[in-house]
């Protein structure tokens, strides 16, 4: 813990929130642009894969950098690179209408930057805050991000209709500046835990992190369950705009409404988690959230084309459940894993979930246009309910949160 940690935590996350807001504006605009341009679930699934796959592969190794070098420096470099990439895409969009190819390429390059940024940011809080505050910090950080996510769909819809695409993409570059300024203004000490004189041994350091991950039986099993959840949920998360605009026959404003409902739910869940702390048995909290998510997805899969408002309400419920799963899982890792291995364990656990996603995304890209969108929501709900059952079935997972 460092002095005045609450102020530093707040300044850091305000910068991150502004960066997330501008990134979300750009991403929503590009998703709707691809939807208008192609109307293809295959293209949207490929865009999601491009945004996930590089980060999933590189996250196997980038945690070693987070454990060996100053996390501030890595985050500043990653944010700067992402901002520069978005600037290039904005210039391309200014000169001529974009085709799907450059958008997919930029999504992949941004994913590379995220592979270095994510484990560093996730591993910062335990170096700032006391252990007893980690779950609440996870809830508040999720809430800060959610505020940005809450504002972005409606604002992106307004901007998409009012100004050229390249100006919206350029906001992502501005967001990188916000993130870097937040890091600098927080005046954090050197965020590193490793031996300063020890050289990076990428393969050996990664193997050490994997050994630590496997040594925590509950964590290993929970990561496998989360990977199965990623197979189910990530494909349907890419299909939300198509559900609103094709299956329910609505406009981009309706797609923005659904995204806003999801974000409102996430904000409500994050605030509740920040105030409550997740309870004594955190796995029970996580399991309840997973089962609620699975039920909402399954019901979505049987809605008729006239059921748009039910879809919006179920999206709100799904949003509420997310912090009680994601944030509590993050806090458990931060509390239970040794500080010198935390970056690697966070990177590896994130990679397992991210690399599982293309399995579902690939199936969606190949089959969704032939089988219909609702079938995938129903299947995702059934698999998510199975994940909740597995969390209760495995003794190491069932008892680890007590």
């Amino acid at each position: 813990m460092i002095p005045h940690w609450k102020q530093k935590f707040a300044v850091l996350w305000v910068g991150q929130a502004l960066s997330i807001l501008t990134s979300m504006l750009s991403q929503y605009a590009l998703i709707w642009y691809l939807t208008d341009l192609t109307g293809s679930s295959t293209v949207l699934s490929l865009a999601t894969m491009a945004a996930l796959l590089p980060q999933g592969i590189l996250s196997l190794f980038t945690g070693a950098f987070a454990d060996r070098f100053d996390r501030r420096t890595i985050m500043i470099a990653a944010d700067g690179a992402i901002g520069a990439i978005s600037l290039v895409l904005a210039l391309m969009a200014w000169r001529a209408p974009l085709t799907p190819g450059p958008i997919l390429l930029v999504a992949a390059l941004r994913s590379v930057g995220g592979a270095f940024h994510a484990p560093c940011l996730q591993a910062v809080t335990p170096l700032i805050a006391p252990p007893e505050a980690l779950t609440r910090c996870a809830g508040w950080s999720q809430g800060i991000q959610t505020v940005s996510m809450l504002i972005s769909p409606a604002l992106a819809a307004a901007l998409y209709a009012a100004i050229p695409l390249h100006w919206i993409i350029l906001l992502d570059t501005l967001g990188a500046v916000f993130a870097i300024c937040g890091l600098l203004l927080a005046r954090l000490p050197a965020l590193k835990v490793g031996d300063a004189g020890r050289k990076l041994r990428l393969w050996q350091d990664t193997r050490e992190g994997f050994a630590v991950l496997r040594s925590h039986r509950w964590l290993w099993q929970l990561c496998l369950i989360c990977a199965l959840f990623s197979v189910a949920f990530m494909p349907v998360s890419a299909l939300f705009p198509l559900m609103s605009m094709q299956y329910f026959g609505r406009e981009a404003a309706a797609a923005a409404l659904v995204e806003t409902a999801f974000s409102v739910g996430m904000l409500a869940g994050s605030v509740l988690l920040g105030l409550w702390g997740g309870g004594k048995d955190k796995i029970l909290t996580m399991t309840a959230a997973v089962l609620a998510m699975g039920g909402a997805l399954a019901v979505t899969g049987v809605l008729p084309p006239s059921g748009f408002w039910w879809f919006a309400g179920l999206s709100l419920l799904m949003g509420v459940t997310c912090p009680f799963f994601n944030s509590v899982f993050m806090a458990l890792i931060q509390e239970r894993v040794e500080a010198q291995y935390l970056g690697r364990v966070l990177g590896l656990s994130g990679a397992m979930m991210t690399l599982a996603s293309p399995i579902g995304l690939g199936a969606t890209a190949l089959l969704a246009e032939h089988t219909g969108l609702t079938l995938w929501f129903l299947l995702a709900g059934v698999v998510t309910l199975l994940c909740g059952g597995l969390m209760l079935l495995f003794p190491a997972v069932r008892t680890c949160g007590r």
Side-chain angles (χ1 to χ4, degrees):
M1 185 179 70
I2 63 175
H4 309 295
W5 71 268
K6 291 183 180 179
Q7 294 92 322
K8 296 180 183 296
F9 177 84
V11 171
L12 170 67
W13 275 98
V14 166
Q16 293 298 318
L18 292 172
S19 176
I20 292 167
L21 172 61
T22 54
S23 293
M24 293 296 290
L25 293 175
S26 174
Q27 289 170 23
Y28 278 125
L30 288 171
I31 288 171
W32 292 331
Y33 177 79
L34 286 175
T35 302
D36 288 338
L37 183 67
T38 68
S40 170
S41 60
T42 300
V43 171
L44 293 181
S45 296
L46 289 174
T48 305
M49 289 180 67
L52 291 176
L53 197 56
Q55 182 167 349
I57 295 172
L58 291 175
S59 292
L60 294 169
F61 307 101
T62 53
F65 290 86
D67 286 339
R68 188 69 61 228
F69 303 110
D70 188 349
R71 292 165 185 167
R72 298 171 307 175
T73 304
I74 297 174
M75 287 190 287
I76 289 173
D79 282 323
I82 290 171
I85 291 166
S86 297
L87 176 61
V88 172
L89 185 65
L91 292 174
M92 292 177 63
W94 174 61
R95 295 185 62 184
L98 290 175
T99 58
I103 296 175
L104 298 181
L105 177 60
V106 167
L109 293 175
R110 283 177 51 85
S111 182
V112 173
F116 286 90
H117 190 276
C120 291
L121 181 61
Q122 293 164 353
V124 161
T125 304
L127 297 181
I128 299 176
E132 63 272 14
L134 290 178
T135 302
R136 288 185 173 86
C137 285
W140 288 121
S141 61
Q142 179 74 72
I144 292 170
Q145 296 176 72
T146 304
V147 170
S148 298
M149 295 172 64
L150 175 62
I151 300 170
S152 56
L155 183 55
L159 292 174
Y160 185 66
I163 64 175
L165 180 65
H166 60 268
W167 288 113
I168 305 176
I169 299 172
L170 193 60
L171 292 174
D172 203 16
T173 301
L174 181 62
V177 176
F178 287 141
I180 293 171
C181 289
L183 273 165
L184 297 176
L185 292 174
R187 298 184 181 275
L188 298 171
L191 299 176
K192 58 193 303 183
V193 295
D195 182 1
R198 182 180 172 184
K199 293 182 179 180
L200 175 69
R201 300 169 298 171
L202 188 59
W203 181 247
Q204 184 173 339
D205 287 350
T206 301
R207 289 182 61 188
E208 287 178 359
F210 186 73
V212 172
L213 175 62
R214 289 294 305 271
S215 70
H216 295 277
R217 185 178 180 85
W218 66 270
L219 180 56
W220 174 246
Q221 292 178 346
L222 193 53
C223 284
L224 293 176
I225 294 172
C226 292
L228 179 60
F229 172 75
S230 296
V231 172
F233 183 72
M234 286 308 300
V236 297
S237 69
L239 298 178
F240 269 60
L242 284 179
M243 278 289 285
S244 297
M245 299 170 71
Q246 286 191 0
Y247 182 73
F248 293 112
R250 302 297 179 115
E251 302 296 329
L257 174 64
V258 169
E259 300 289 352
T260 300
F262 189 91
S263 298
V264 167
M266 285 188 66
L267 179 59
S270 299
V271 171
L272 180 57
L273 180 62
L275 295 172
W276 173 41
K280 292 183 179 180
D281 191 342
K282 293 182 172 59
I283 286 296
L284 182 61
T285 301
M286 290 179 63
T287 303
V290 171
L291 293 175
M293 170 73 83
L297 286 168
V299 173
T300 299
V302 297
L303 289 176
S306 60
F308 172 77
W309 292 108
W310 282 101
F311 179 47
L314 290 166
S315 298
L316 176 70
L317 174 60
M318 285 186 256
V320 170
T321 67
C322 282
F324 293 97
F325 177 73
N326 295 332
S327 299
V328 173
F329 182 41
M330 183 63 59
L332 276 173
I333 297 176
Q334 292 171 341
E335 290 173 6
R336 304 290 181 85
V337 175
E338 300 86 341
Q340 63 268 32
Y341 301 109
L342 184 58
R344 280 167 282 182
V345 170
L346 287 168
L348 289 165
S349 60
M352 289 177 64
M353 289 177 275
T354 304
L355 289 175
S357 302
I359 298 173
L361 287 166
T364 303
L366 292 173
L367 301 174
E369 292 182 357
H370 304 289
T371 61
L373 297 173
T374 53
L375 175 64
W376 294 94
F377 280 83
L378 179 60
L379 290 175
V382 172
V383 175
T384 302
L385 290 171
L386 173 63
C387 290
L390 292 174
M391 291 171 68
L392 296 174
L393 181 64
F394 294 154
V397 175
R398 188 175 65 247
T399 60
C400 76
R402 296 175 183 172

PDB file of all heavy atoms in Angstrom, residues 364-388:
ATOM      1  N   THR A 364     -19.678 -19.371 -35.097  1.00  0.00           N
ATOM      2  CA  THR A 364     -20.681 -18.361 -35.412  1.00  0.00           C
ATOM      3  C   THR A 364     -20.474 -17.797 -36.816  1.00  0.00           C
ATOM      4  O   THR A 364     -21.424 -17.623 -37.588  1.00  0.00           O
ATOM      5  CB  THR A 364     -20.619 -17.215 -34.386  1.00  0.00           C
ATOM      6  OG1 THR A 364     -20.793 -17.760 -33.077  1.00  0.00           O
ATOM      7  CG2 THR A 364     -21.710 -16.196 -34.648  1.00  0.00           C
ATOM      8  N   ALA A 365     -19.215 -17.495 -37.151  1.00  0.00           N
ATOM      9  CA  ALA A 365     -18.922 -16.936 -38.465  1.00  0.00           C
ATOM     10  C   ALA A 365     -19.333 -17.885 -39.590  1.00  0.00           C
ATOM     11  O   ALA A 365     -19.802 -17.463 -40.643  1.00  0.00           O
ATOM     12  CB  ALA A 365     -17.430 -16.610 -38.575  1.00  0.00           C
ATOM     13  N   LEU A 366     -19.177 -19.196 -39.340  1.00  0.00           N
ATOM     14  CA  LEU A 366     -19.486 -20.170 -40.382  1.00  0.00           C
ATOM     15  C   LEU A 366     -20.971 -20.496 -40.465  1.00  0.00           C
ATOM     16  O   LEU A 366     -21.500 -20.750 -41.562  1.00  0.00           O
ATOM     17  CB  LEU A 366     -18.699 -21.468 -40.123  1.00  0.00           C
ATOM     18  CG  LEU A 366     -17.181 -21.388 -40.301  1.00  0.00           C
ATOM     19  CD1 LEU A 366     -16.533 -22.687 -39.836  1.00  0.00           C
ATOM     20  CD2 LEU A 366     -16.821 -21.110 -41.752  1.00  0.00           C
ATOM     21  N   LEU A 367     -21.668 -20.480 -39.325  1.00  0.00           N
ATOM     22  CA  LEU A 367     -23.004 -21.071 -39.291  1.00  0.00           C
ATOM     23  C   LEU A 367     -24.138 -20.114 -38.974  1.00  0.00           C
ATOM     24  O   LEU A 367     -25.291 -20.404 -39.297  1.00  0.00           O
ATOM     25  CB  LEU A 367     -23.024 -22.216 -38.253  1.00  0.00           C
ATOM     26  CG  LEU A 367     -22.029 -23.359 -38.489  1.00  0.00           C
ATOM     27  CD1 LEU A 367     -22.074 -24.321 -37.317  1.00  0.00           C
ATOM     28  CD2 LEU A 367     -22.337 -24.083 -39.787  1.00  0.00           C
ATOM     29  N   ALA A 368     -23.852 -18.961 -38.315  1.00  0.00           N
ATOM     30  CA  ALA A 368     -24.943 -18.129 -37.798  1.00  0.00           C
ATOM     31  C   ALA A 368     -25.868 -17.625 -38.898  1.00  0.00           C
ATOM     32  O   ALA A 368     -27.083 -17.522 -38.699  1.00  0.00           O
ATOM     33  CB  ALA A 368     -24.379 -16.948 -37.016  1.00  0.00           C
ATOM     34  N   GLU A 369     -25.313 -17.302 -40.054  1.00  0.00           N
ATOM     35  CA  GLU A 369     -26.153 -16.773 -41.131  1.00  0.00           C
ATOM     36  C   GLU A 369     -27.097 -17.837 -41.689  1.00  0.00           C
ATOM     37  O   GLU A 369     -28.101 -17.517 -42.321  1.00  0.00           O
ATOM     38  CB  GLU A 369     -25.273 -16.206 -42.246  1.00  0.00           C
ATOM     39  CG  GLU A 369     -24.511 -14.956 -41.811  1.00  0.00           C
ATOM     40  CD  GLU A 369     -23.681 -14.366 -42.941  1.00  0.00           C
ATOM     41  OE1 GLU A 369     -23.657 -14.966 -44.027  1.00  0.00           O
ATOM     42  OE2 GLU A 369     -23.068 -13.306 -42.730  1.00  0.00           O
ATOM     43  N   HIS A 370     -26.802 -19.122 -41.437  1.00  0.00           N
ATOM     44  CA  HIS A 370     -27.636 -20.204 -41.955  1.00  0.00           C
ATOM     45  C   HIS A 370     -28.612 -20.729 -40.909  1.00  0.00           C
ATOM     46  O   HIS A 370     -29.689 -21.210 -41.261  1.00  0.00           O
ATOM     47  CB  HIS A 370     -26.757 -21.352 -42.449  1.00  0.00           C
ATOM     48  CG  HIS A 370     -25.740 -20.940 -43.486  1.00  0.00           C
ATOM     49  ND1 HIS A 370     -26.084 -20.590 -44.768  1.00  0.00           N
ATOM     50  CD2 HIS A 370     -24.386 -20.792 -43.395  1.00  0.00           C
ATOM     51  CE1 HIS A 370     -24.994 -20.261 -45.451  1.00  0.00           C
ATOM     52  NE2 HIS A 370     -23.952 -20.370 -44.642  1.00  0.00           N
ATOM     53  N   THR A 371     -28.240 -20.628 -39.632  1.00  0.00           N
ATOM     54  CA  THR A 371     -29.070 -21.206 -38.573  1.00  0.00           C
ATOM     55  C   THR A 371     -29.947 -20.172 -37.876  1.00  0.00           C
ATOM     56  O   THR A 371     -30.872 -20.542 -37.159  1.00  0.00           O
ATOM     57  CB  THR A 371     -28.184 -21.888 -37.518  1.00  0.00           C
ATOM     58  OG1 THR A 371     -27.307 -20.918 -36.936  1.00  0.00           O
ATOM     59  CG2 THR A 371     -27.365 -23.004 -38.136  1.00  0.00           C
ATOM     60  N   GLY A 372     -29.640 -18.893 -38.043  1.00  0.00           N
ATOM     61  CA  GLY A 372     -30.398 -17.863 -37.347  1.00  0.00           C
ATOM     62  C   GLY A 372     -29.683 -17.398 -36.090  1.00  0.00           C
ATOM     63  O   GLY A 372     -28.922 -18.155 -35.463  1.00  0.00           O
ATOM     64  N   LEU A 373     -29.930 -16.152 -35.717  1.00  0.00           N
ATOM     65  CA  LEU A 373     -29.211 -15.553 -34.585  1.00  0.00           C
ATOM     66  C   LEU A 373     -29.677 -16.103 -33.238  1.00  0.00           C
ATOM     67  O   LEU A 373     -28.874 -16.313 -32.329  1.00  0.00           O
ATOM     68  CB  LEU A 373     -29.411 -14.029 -34.608  1.00  0.00           C
ATOM     69  CG  LEU A 373     -28.862 -13.287 -35.829  1.00  0.00           C
ATOM     70  CD1 LEU A 373     -29.295 -11.826 -35.786  1.00  0.00           C
ATOM     71  CD2 LEU A 373     -27.343 -13.385 -35.877  1.00  0.00           C
ATOM     72  N   THR A 374     -30.975 -16.341 -33.089  1.00  0.00           N
ATOM     73  CA  THR A 374     -31.502 -16.694 -31.774  1.00  0.00           C
ATOM     74  C   THR A 374     -30.972 -18.031 -31.270  1.00  0.00           C
ATOM     75  O   THR A 374     -30.831 -18.221 -30.063  1.00  0.00           O
ATOM     76  CB  THR A 374     -33.033 -16.735 -31.809  1.00  0.00           C
ATOM     77  OG1 THR A 374     -33.462 -17.601 -32.875  1.00  0.00           O
ATOM     78  CG2 THR A 374     -33.607 -15.341 -32.046  1.00  0.00           C
ATOM     79  N   LEU A 375     -30.679 -18.951 -32.175  1.00  0.00           N
ATOM     80  CA  LEU A 375     -30.153 -20.249 -31.760  1.00  0.00           C
ATOM     81  C   LEU A 375     -28.874 -20.089 -30.962  1.00  0.00           C
ATOM     82  O   LEU A 375     -28.646 -20.806 -29.970  1.00  0.00           O
ATOM     83  CB  LEU A 375     -29.908 -21.130 -32.987  1.00  0.00           C
ATOM     84  CG  LEU A 375     -29.228 -22.487 -32.710  1.00  0.00           C
ATOM     85  CD1 LEU A 375     -30.121 -23.360 -31.852  1.00  0.00           C
ATOM     86  CD2 LEU A 375     -28.878 -23.192 -34.025  1.00  0.00           C
ATOM     87  N   TRP A 376     -28.029 -19.121 -31.350  1.00  0.00           N
ATOM     88  CA  TRP A 376     -26.745 -18.936 -30.670  1.00  0.00           C
ATOM     89  C   TRP A 376     -26.929 -18.364 -29.271  1.00  0.00           C
ATOM     90  O   TRP A 376     -26.173 -18.684 -28.356  1.00  0.00           O
ATOM     91  CB  TRP A 376     -25.840 -18.055 -31.539  1.00  0.00           C
ATOM     92  CG  TRP A 376     -25.495 -18.776 -32.792  1.00  0.00           C
ATOM     93  CD1 TRP A 376     -26.142 -18.690 -33.992  1.00  0.00           C
ATOM     94  CD2 TRP A 376     -24.503 -19.784 -32.960  1.00  0.00           C
ATOM     95  NE1 TRP A 376     -25.591 -19.571 -34.904  1.00  0.00           N
ATOM     96  CE2 TRP A 376     -24.582 -20.250 -34.297  1.00  0.00           C
ATOM     97  CE3 TRP A 376     -23.542 -20.335 -32.115  1.00  0.00           C
ATOM     98  CZ2 TRP A 376     -23.739 -21.238 -34.791  1.00  0.00           C
ATOM     99  CZ3 TRP A 376     -22.693 -21.308 -32.612  1.00  0.00           C
ATOM    100  CH2 TRP A 376     -22.805 -21.753 -33.938  1.00  0.00           C
ATOM    101  N   PHE A 377     -27.934 -17.528 -29.083  1.00  0.00           N
ATOM    102  CA  PHE A 377     -28.225 -17.042 -27.739  1.00  0.00           C
ATOM    103  C   PHE A 377     -28.725 -18.182 -26.846  1.00  0.00           C
ATOM    104  O   PHE A 377     -28.348 -18.275 -25.673  1.00  0.00           O
ATOM    105  CB  PHE A 377     -29.261 -15.911 -27.797  1.00  0.00           C
ATOM    106  CG  PHE A 377     -28.674 -14.584 -28.167  1.00  0.00           C
ATOM    107  CD1 PHE A 377     -28.451 -14.252 -29.498  1.00  0.00           C
ATOM    108  CD2 PHE A 377     -28.331 -13.664 -27.192  1.00  0.00           C
ATOM    109  CE1 PHE A 377     -27.900 -13.030 -29.843  1.00  0.00           C
ATOM    110  CE2 PHE A 377     -27.787 -12.439 -27.529  1.00  0.00           C
ATOM    111  CZ  PHE A 377     -27.571 -12.119 -28.855  1.00  0.00           C
ATOM    112  N   LEU A 378     -29.560 -19.046 -27.401  1.00  0.00           N
ATOM    113  CA  LEU A 378     -30.056 -20.178 -26.625  1.00  0.00           C
ATOM    114  C   LEU A 378     -28.923 -21.122 -26.241  1.00  0.00           C
ATOM    115  O   LEU A 378     -28.816 -21.551 -25.074  1.00  0.00           O
ATOM    116  CB  LEU A 378     -31.131 -20.916 -27.433  1.00  0.00           C
ATOM    117  CG  LEU A 378     -31.749 -22.146 -26.764  1.00  0.00           C
ATOM    118  CD1 LEU A 378     -32.419 -21.788 -25.452  1.00  0.00           C
ATOM    119  CD2 LEU A 378     -32.740 -22.819 -27.713  1.00  0.00           C
ATOM    120  N   LEU A 379     -28.056 -21.450 -27.202  1.00  0.00           N
ATOM    121  CA  LEU A 379     -26.911 -22.322 -26.909  1.00  0.00           C
ATOM    122  C   LEU A 379     -25.986 -21.681 -25.879  1.00  0.00           C
ATOM    123  O   LEU A 379     -25.490 -22.363 -24.967  1.00  0.00           O
ATOM    124  CB  LEU A 379     -26.147 -22.622 -28.199  1.00  0.00           C
ATOM    125  CG  LEU A 379     -26.845 -23.533 -29.219  1.00  0.00           C
ATOM    126  CD1 LEU A 379     -26.010 -23.639 -30.496  1.00  0.00           C
ATOM    127  CD2 LEU A 379     -27.074 -24.916 -28.620  1.00  0.00           C
ATOM    128  N   ALA A 380     -25.745 -20.377 -26.015  1.00  0.00           N
ATOM    129  CA  ALA A 380     -24.890 -19.683 -25.054  1.00  0.00           C
ATOM    130  C   ALA A 380     -25.478 -19.752 -23.650  1.00  0.00           C
ATOM    131  O   ALA A 380     -24.763 -19.923 -22.658  1.00  0.00           O
ATOM    132  CB  ALA A 380     -24.696 -18.230 -25.472  1.00  0.00           C
ATOM    133  N   GLY A 381     -26.803 -19.625 -23.544  1.00  0.00           N
ATOM    134  CA  GLY A 381     -27.446 -19.715 -22.243  1.00  0.00           C
ATOM    135  C   GLY A 381     -27.286 -21.087 -21.619  1.00  0.00           C
ATOM    136  O   GLY A 381     -26.984 -21.211 -20.419  1.00  0.00           O
ATOM    137  N   VAL A 382     -27.464 -22.139 -22.417  1.00  0.00           N
ATOM    138  CA  VAL A 382     -27.326 -23.504 -21.893  1.00  0.00           C
ATOM    139  C   VAL A 382     -25.895 -23.761 -21.405  1.00  0.00           C
ATOM    140  O   VAL A 382     -25.678 -24.311 -20.319  1.00  0.00           O
ATOM    141  CB  VAL A 382     -27.734 -24.524 -22.971  1.00  0.00           C
ATOM    142  CG1 VAL A 382     -27.404 -25.945 -22.527  1.00  0.00           C
ATOM    143  CG2 VAL A 382     -29.222 -24.403 -23.281  1.00  0.00           C
ATOM    144  N   VAL A 383     -24.904 -23.354 -22.201  1.00  0.00           N
ATOM    145  CA  VAL A 383     -23.502 -23.566 -21.807  1.00  0.00           C
ATOM    146  C   VAL A 383     -23.158 -22.740 -20.573  1.00  0.00           C
ATOM    147  O   VAL A 383     -22.435 -23.203 -19.680  1.00  0.00           O
ATOM    148  CB  VAL A 383     -22.556 -23.230 -22.972  1.00  0.00           C
ATOM    149  CG1 VAL A 383     -21.098 -23.328 -22.531  1.00  0.00           C
ATOM    150  CG2 VAL A 383     -22.811 -24.165 -24.146  1.00  0.00           C
ATOM    151  N   THR A 384     -23.674 -21.522 -20.470  1.00  0.00           N
ATOM    152  CA  THR A 384     -23.404 -20.683 -19.300  1.00  0.00           C
ATOM    153  C   THR A 384     -24.025 -21.288 -18.045  1.00  0.00           C
ATOM    154  O   THR A 384     -23.409 -21.276 -16.968  1.00  0.00           O
ATOM    155  CB  THR A 384     -23.944 -19.261 -19.534  1.00  0.00           C
ATOM    156  OG1 THR A 384     -23.330 -18.715 -20.702  1.00  0.00           O
ATOM    157  CG2 THR A 384     -23.636 -18.362 -18.353  1.00  0.00           C
ATOM    158  N   LEU A 385     -25.213 -21.825 -18.155  1.00  0.00           N
ATOM    159  CA  LEU A 385     -25.814 -22.526 -17.010  1.00  0.00           C
ATOM    160  C   LEU A 385     -24.957 -23.726 -16.609  1.00  0.00           C
ATOM    161  O   LEU A 385     -24.802 -24.016 -15.410  1.00  0.00           O
ATOM    162  CB  LEU A 385     -27.231 -22.974 -17.359  1.00  0.00           C
ATOM    163  CG  LEU A 385     -28.271 -21.854 -17.500  1.00  0.00           C
ATOM    164  CD1 LEU A 385     -29.580 -22.402 -18.070  1.00  0.00           C
ATOM    165  CD2 LEU A 385     -28.530 -21.182 -16.158  1.00  0.00           C
ATOM    166  N   LEU A 386     -24.382 -24.417 -17.590  1.00  0.00           N
ATOM    167  CA  LEU A 386     -23.477 -25.528 -17.300  1.00  0.00           C
ATOM    168  C   LEU A 386     -22.255 -25.047 -16.522  1.00  0.00           C
ATOM    169  O   LEU A 386     -21.800 -25.711 -15.580  1.00  0.00           O
ATOM    170  CB  LEU A 386     -23.049 -26.202 -18.602  1.00  0.00           C
ATOM    171  CG  LEU A 386     -21.976 -27.290 -18.493  1.00  0.00           C
ATOM    172  CD1 LEU A 386     -22.476 -28.463 -17.654  1.00  0.00           C
ATOM    173  CD2 LEU A 386     -21.561 -27.778 -19.883  1.00  0.00           C
ATOM    174  N   CYS A 387     -21.736 -23.883 -16.901  1.00  0.00           N
ATOM    175  CA  CYS A 387     -20.579 -23.326 -16.180  1.00  0.00           C
ATOM    176  C   CYS A 387     -20.922 -23.083 -14.706  1.00  0.00           C
ATOM    177  O   CYS A 387     -20.108 -23.363 -13.810  1.00  0.00           O
ATOM    178  CB  CYS A 387     -20.142 -22.015 -16.830  1.00  0.00           C
ATOM    179  SG  CYS A 387     -19.401 -22.201 -18.459  1.00  0.00           S
ATOM    180  N   GLY A 388     -22.111 -22.539 -14.442  1.00  0.00           N
ATOM    181  CA  GLY A 388     -22.521 -22.340 -13.061  1.00  0.00           C
ATOM    182  C   GLY A 388     -22.614 -23.648 -12.301  1.00  0.00           C
ATOM    183  O   GLY A 388     -22.210 -23.728 -11.132  1.00  0.00           O
TER     184      GLY A 388
END
